[in-house]
Amino acid sequence: ETSPAGRPVFGGGVFDRHVTRWNDNCVFCHNVGPNPGVNTATERFDTTTAELGIACEACHGPGAAHVGANADPLRRLTLWAWRAADPTIVNPARLSPARAADVCGRCHGQRLAADVRPFMAHGDPFVPGDDLALTTEPLWRDTTLAGARGAFAPRFWADGTPRLTAYEYQGLLQSRCAQEATLTCTTCHGMHEGEPRGQLRVGLRGAAADGMCTQCHTTLADGAAAGRHTHHEAANGGARCVGCHMPRVVYGVLDVHRSHRIEVPDPAHAASAGRPDACTGCHVGETPVWAATMRARLWGGTAPSVPETSAPLEALFSGDSVTRAVSADALGREQVPLGPAARAARVGALLEAMAGDDYPAVRHLAWRALGRLGVADAGDYDPSADGRARSALVERVRARLGGGGAKSAPEVVARLRARAVGGDVEIGE
């Protein structure tokens, strides 16, 4: 179906808001040398790319001169012997931290140009090694669109911290480690090493992930010093640097990811910004008030006044869609020892979300969290099924679990949903 202007119509109404065209959106980050090639007279695309997919030139820039020059084996040997830079190609490892981050930020940081028409007609002029700010600016919570404020606000928590993926660059720019030191993306990520998932550098996964931080914060590399710093047992998830300083408060692609705004945990500040905090991300039955009190007790100071907010176990029913997604994910992570009652409370809450949450993505995350808790009875659950089918399956799971505490609490859920926060973010899933 097409509109009177000849443009495609994908169902009309609300559905169209979730339609994304490859030619003027996806093409810019998922290909090399993207050029939508818009004809301003006809408003039609003649899209070209240097290469489909993300390949070498996406990070290293145009490579024709490099290939031609290095056809000479003597040149290659000389460069290798002297460990010299090759001027025919960009090596992000030899760039300044800011310029190296720009290479990644081009795609991992949603941005806006003052005038998008040249981008649409001729492509993105940025090449690795350039200053990204010369052509575009990162999107922020208060970035205006056609002079209006608020268009991008739902993509951030109230304090400006990104809460959707594709804003990792913004998180880095907000981090003191980047502002006052030399942190850049490749401090932790290696494009030619590690596992494809996350591309963390070799030796920086699991318990060894602390090395991402202790390579600079060397005084905390010693286990005893780390214990005094974290007030958590070394084997506990709370002792991991990223657990406290990069909490999972970011939603994207049916998953919940770590924040790239590296900061000191502050439950009171997080609560005032309406965002989940690092402490209750593990202690899901506790509130930010408890977390702020414990922070003051363990690290010193006076517990500040904290807005009344819910524990993640309750926020699964009372927050907006991203808050609920973060809560569902947190309930499936056993980062503190769980007794039978605590486990049953998590299972019951997740089953409620699977049956009744408005968002398929949140329902999916609740189902996955249930599996992480060892409940395999819901293996045939379909988060996209209609409400009656979902409720029937949930009741069957409850029956199979018996008196394990995974009982429905409709009056509690109704009360929490009545306190629901604001309007939902269109997470599109």
Side-chain angles (χ1 to χ4, degrees):
E1 183 183 354
T2 59
S3 70
R7 296 189 179 90
V9 175
F10 300 93
V14 173
F15 182 82
D16 281 353
R17 292 185 297 175
H18 299 290
V19 172
T20 299
R21 289 184 302 196
W22 180 81
N23 300 77
D24 56 357
N25 189 301
C26 315
V27 68
F28 281 111
C29 291
H30 293 273
N31 302 282
V32 178
N35 179 7
V38 170
N39 184 315
T40 55
T42 63
E43 295 189 8
R44 291 186 176 276
F45 294 99
D46 184 16
T47 307
T48 61
T49 66
E51 189 170 356
L52 289 171
I54 304 166
C56 306
E57 292 182 337
C59 301
H60 295 281
H66 178 70
V67 172
N70 284 286
D72 179 357
L74 181 60
R75 182 181 191 275
R76 298 200 305 270
L77 180 61
T78 301
L79 289 172
W80 175 83
W82 289 95
R83 300 292 189 269
D86 187 339
T88 65
I89 199 72
V90 173
N91 182 352
R94 293 181 180 272
L95 297 174
S96 69
R99 293 294 78 77
D102 285 349
V103 174
C104 305
R106 175 177 177 257
C107 294
H108 292 274
Q110 292 284 331
R111 55 205 175 95
L112 191 66
D115 184 355
V116 299
R117 288 173 298 183
F119 282 71
M120 293 295 104
H122 308 295
D124 187 348
F126 175 85
V127 294
D130 286 354
D131 183 344
L132 192 61
L134 294 177
T135 52
T136 55
E137 288 291 330
L139 291 180
W140 299 103
R141 180 180 171 82
D142 58 356
T143 296
T144 60
L145 183 65
R149 292 188 179 275
F152 305 108
R155 306 181 187 190
F156 300 83
W157 300 106
D159 64 350
T161 302
R163 64 175 187 163
L164 298 179
T165 50
Y167 292 84
E168 291 77 17
Y169 180 65
Q170 281 88 330
L172 178 75
L173 294 179
Q174 293 172 319
S175 304
R176 287 183 60 191
C177 295
Q179 295 169 353
E180 302 174 14
T182 59
L183 181 73
T184 192
C185 306
T186 51
T187 303
C188 303
H189 297 279
M191 301 303 99
H192 302 289
E193 57 182 302
E195 296 182 13
R197 183 178 176 84
Q199 291 183 296
L200 291 175
R201 289 172 52 199
V202 171
L204 296 181
R205 299 184 70 86
D210 288 349
M212 290 187 286
C213 300
T214 58
Q215 59 184 298
C216 293
H217 299 274
T218 54
T219 58
L220 297 176
D222 172 73
R228 291 190 296 271
H229 174 72
T230 65
H231 295 282
H232 286 75
E233 295 291 336
N236 190 293
R240 301 282 72 77
C241 303
V242 293
C244 293
H245 299 287
M246 299 179 68
R248 296 180 185 274
V249 297
V250 175
Y251 173 82
V253 198
L254 291 177
D255 207 350
V256 176
H257 307 266
R258 295 199 179 279
S259 171
H260 279 65
R261 181 175 188 171
I262 303 168
E263 58 187 345
V264 175
D266 187 342
H269 169 78
S272 68
R275 60 181 254 215
D277 67 272
C279 303
T280 60
C282 291
H283 302 274
V284 298
E286 306 289 354
T287 67
V289 173
W290 171 89
T293 301
M294 292 301 297
R295 181 183 187 270
R297 182 183 302 173
L298 295 174
W299 284 276
T302 303
S305 175
V306 182
E308 181 183 352
T309 49
S310 301
L313 198 59
E314 298 177 336
L316 179 60
F317 307 107
S318 60
D320 72 6
S321 54
V322 176
T323 302
R324 301 198 309 272
V326 170
S327 298
D329 181 76
L331 263 60
R333 297 184 183 275
E334 287 192 66
Q335 300 187 88
V336 294
L338 291 181
R343 180 181 293 275
R346 292 194 186 199
V347 170
L350 291 169
L351 287 171
E352 285 286 351
M354 288 165 57
D357 195 276
D358 292 338
Y359 268 67
V362 177
R363 300 195 294 262
H364 168 83
L365 289 168
W367 169 64
R368 192 175 65 182
L370 196 71
R372 285 175 173 159
L373 292 177
V375 179
D377 300 73
D380 54 346
Y381 174 75
D382 179 3
S384 298
D386 65 53
R388 284 181 297 180
R390 298 196 312 270
S391 295
L393 181 140
V394 164
E395 289 306 318
R396 290 197 299 272
V397 172
R398 285 199 182 100
R400 288 197 292 267
L401 291 175
K407 297 180 179 179
S408 173
E411 71 287 347
V412 176
V413 173
R415 173 171 53 82
L416 292 169
R417 285 184 174 146
R419 292 166 42 189
V421 178
D424 269 357
V425 179
E426 293 179 7
I427 58 179
E429 296 171 330

